[in-house]
Amino acid sequence: MKRHLHFSEEEFAERRRRAIALMQEEGLDGLLCFRQESMFYLTGYDTFGYVFFQCLYLGADGRMMIQTRAPDLRQAQQTSVVEDIRVWVDGPEAQPAEELREILREYGAEGKKLGVEYEAYGLTARNGKRLEAALAGFCELSDASLLVSRLRLVKSPAEIAYVRRAGELADEALAAALPLIGPGADEGEILAAMQGAVFKGGGDYPGNEFIIGSAEQALLCRYYSGRRKLDAEDQLTLEWAGAYRHYHAAMMATAVLGNLPPEQAEMHAVARDALLAVEEKLSPGNSVGEAFDAHAVTLDKAGYQAHRMNACGYCLGTTFSPNWMDWPMLYHGNPVEIGPGMVFFVHIIIFNSEKGLAMTLGRTSLVGERGAESLSATPLEPIHLPG
């Protein structure tokens, strides 16, 4: 059966080699992966089947196995480098965690110390309890939620190529939206144009929904159900991402229709200053917390402390639903050191609820040896459209 892989088998092998080295440093004999991102990163396995019990086992000896359901058998065969694929059968008495224990017994894991990705959307609290019950007395479990995430933080040249394409798709999505933004414009048509541009460019569904909100909903930074048409005097907040091979490059902006209030013009100028200040700190040797502090200092000095957020972005990479946010996040005191090959989305969000004004600005940058490089070619000018 032909495999559909987005990286060479040699690159996958090198990623697993580095994961095993980290496992050995932490005294682990094996790793139970429940994060879809880890499965994709280590083997190429691409699915949304992680909404059910699904596990990738990687042993310190390099052997690996995927346990999944029947609908994902061919998915694993075609999109991963894993040869040993075990299927658990749906049924009222199904106990996949207990089946996993017996598979692990075959792999000589009894009495060993295994890392578990507890921080995983695919491992619900219920399944986590079942996992621990099934493996109680069989082996020792240790939280290894960030082991693969730490490896994924620094992108390889092949990954960077995908991230750059995602950045181009994000620009193309905005370019598709701008001609549609005006009085009477339907939010649904704007969303369709943006997502359509990504698909036309060979991209993917993003890890979470695009965000769109106008009028008072422009002060929301989460997707919600419901559409409206724009007024002659309006504001429109958008947050979206280009996604290519599941690698993301996000952007954010608020467009103003009709009159541009002086306060909102000032909000944009301050947001731009804050964005550039954070990007200046996205340099090797600085901490993620220091990058956030540049955001806070800039906004607080301008009098916007009450209107800003307590985080101003996060790392991006290959992520799956329910969101495209990756580890680590930009907040005060975060000690993670920034290094070359990391990718960060910085969003500056200013919401003045008293005056009902919104202003956002955000884009994705790649950290190089000397600092951050924006992956967007879109200027940081205000999006002000006549009513």
Side-chain angles (χ1 to χ4, degrees):
M1 184 176 292
K2 183 179 179 181
R3 286 173 171 163
H4 301 275
L5 303 175
H6 302 305
F7 300 96
S8 68
E9 295 198 25
E10 291 75 19
E11 178 156 344
F12 284 126
E14 173 60 18
R15 293 174 183 179
R16 294 194 299 275
R17 185 198 66 75
R18 290 186 290 119
I20 290 170
L22 275 182
M23 288 161 51
Q24 292 172 339
E25 287 179 18
E26 298 183 11
L28 299 176
D29 299 298
L31 180 65
L32 301 178
C33 296
F34 291 92
R35 293 197 65 175
Q36 180 58 36
E37 292 82 0
S38 298
M39 300 182 200
F40 183 80
Y41 181 78
L42 295 172
T43 74
Y45 183 41
D46 190 351
T47 182
F48 60 73
Y50 58 90
V51 297
F52 298 97
F53 189 96
Q54 180 171 264
C55 180
L56 167 68
Y57 169 73
L58 175 63
D61 58 4
R63 292 188 297 166
M64 56 184 172
M65 175 279 308
I66 285 178
Q67 182 195 23
T68 187
R69 296 169 62 249
D72 285 297
L73 170 61
R74 291 159 191 82
Q75 200 90 6
Q77 290 172 335
Q78 291 192 27
T79 69
S80 85
V81 296
V82 181
E83 298 289 347
D84 189 359
I85 304 164
R86 309 292 182 97
V87 172
W88 64 270
V89 179
D90 301 280
E93 305 301 324
Q95 296 289 343
E98 293 187 6
E99 293 182 30
L100 175 61
R101 179 191 61 224
E102 298 310 308
I103 297 171
L104 294 174
R105 194 187 305 277
E106 295 178 31
Y107 276 82
E110 186 172 7
K112 302 294 180 65
K113 184 177 181 180
L114 303 182
V116 181
E117 287 186 332
Y118 285 106
E119 186 69 30
Y121 296 113
L123 187 64
T124 62
R126 186 186 192 197
N127 279 334
K129 288 182 177 181
R130 289 177 169 179
L131 176 74
E132 292 182 336
L135 298 183
F138 174 81
C139 63
E140 179 184 353
L141 300 181
S142 177
D143 188 352
S145 296
L146 293 180
L147 190 149
V148 179
S149 294
R150 297 203 304 270
L151 295 177
R152 292 176 49 247
L153 186 54
V154 176
K155 279 40 175 196
S156 70
E159 290 179 290
I160 289 173
Y162 292 156
V163 173
R164 288 188 182 279
R165 180 58 186 145
E168 294 170 350
L169 291 174
D171 278 340
E172 291 171 18
L174 179 60
L178 289 177
L180 302 179
I181 300 175
D186 189 299
E187 290 179 351
E189 293 182 6
I190 295 171
L191 277 179
M194 297 182 78
Q195 187 64 79
V198 175
F199 286 150
K200 289 177 182 177
D204 300 308
Y205 286 107
N208 58 254
E209 301 90 343
F210 287 4
I211 296 165
I212 186 168
S214 56
E216 64 271 19
Q217 278 80 44
L219 279 72
L220 301 180
C221 50
R222 293 286 186 266
Y223 174 86
Y224 67 96
S225 180
R227 302 284 176 266
R228 67 181 293 272
K229 294 185 178 181
L230 303 183
D231 296 325
E233 298 284 333
D234 217 325
Q235 57 184 350
L236 177 71
T237 292
L238 298 166
E239 184 179 14
W240 70 100
Y244 190 77
R245 304 297 184 258
H246 294 297
Y247 286 82
H248 291 71
M251 295 179 68
M252 194 171 192
T254 297
V256 179
L257 280 71
N259 179 54
L260 176 62
E263 300 97 325
Q264 210 164 13
E266 179 186 271
M267 290 164 70
H268 180 275
V270 173
R272 182 178 183 275
D273 289 345
L275 176 62
L276 295 175
V278 176
E279 291 179 347
E280 183 68 23
K281 287 292 184 178
L282 293 179
S283 297
N286 291 334
S287 71
V288 171
E290 287 175 306
F292 166 82
D293 290 344
H295 150 269
V297 168
T298 303
L299 294 189
D300 294 357
K301 185 178 179 181
Y304 289 96
Q305 183 173 8
H307 309 301
R308 67 168 170 83
M309 301 293 158
N310 297 317
C312 70
Y314 37 81
C315 181
L316 285 179
T318 176
T319 43
F320 290 73
S321 296
N323 68 72
W324 64 53
M325 293 185 289
D326 213 347
W327 177 89
M329 184 170 285
L330 293 161
Y331 55 74
H332 177 68
N334 193 327
V336 175
E337 184 176 321
I338 298 169
M342 297 182 184
V343 177
F344 288 94
F345 170 47
V346 178
H347 57 64
I348 309 300
I349 300 173
I350 306 174
F351 290 155
N352 187 329
S353 297
E354 290 74 23
K355 295 185 178 181
L357 296 177
M359 183 51 63
T360 65
L361 194 62
R363 64 185 183 182
T364 300
S365 292
L366 168 67
V367 179
E369 294 290 346
R370 298 183 179 181
E373 171 199 352
S374 171
L375 297 177
S376 170
T378 301
L380 296 178
E381 302 304 319
I383 302 177
H384 179 210
L385 305 167

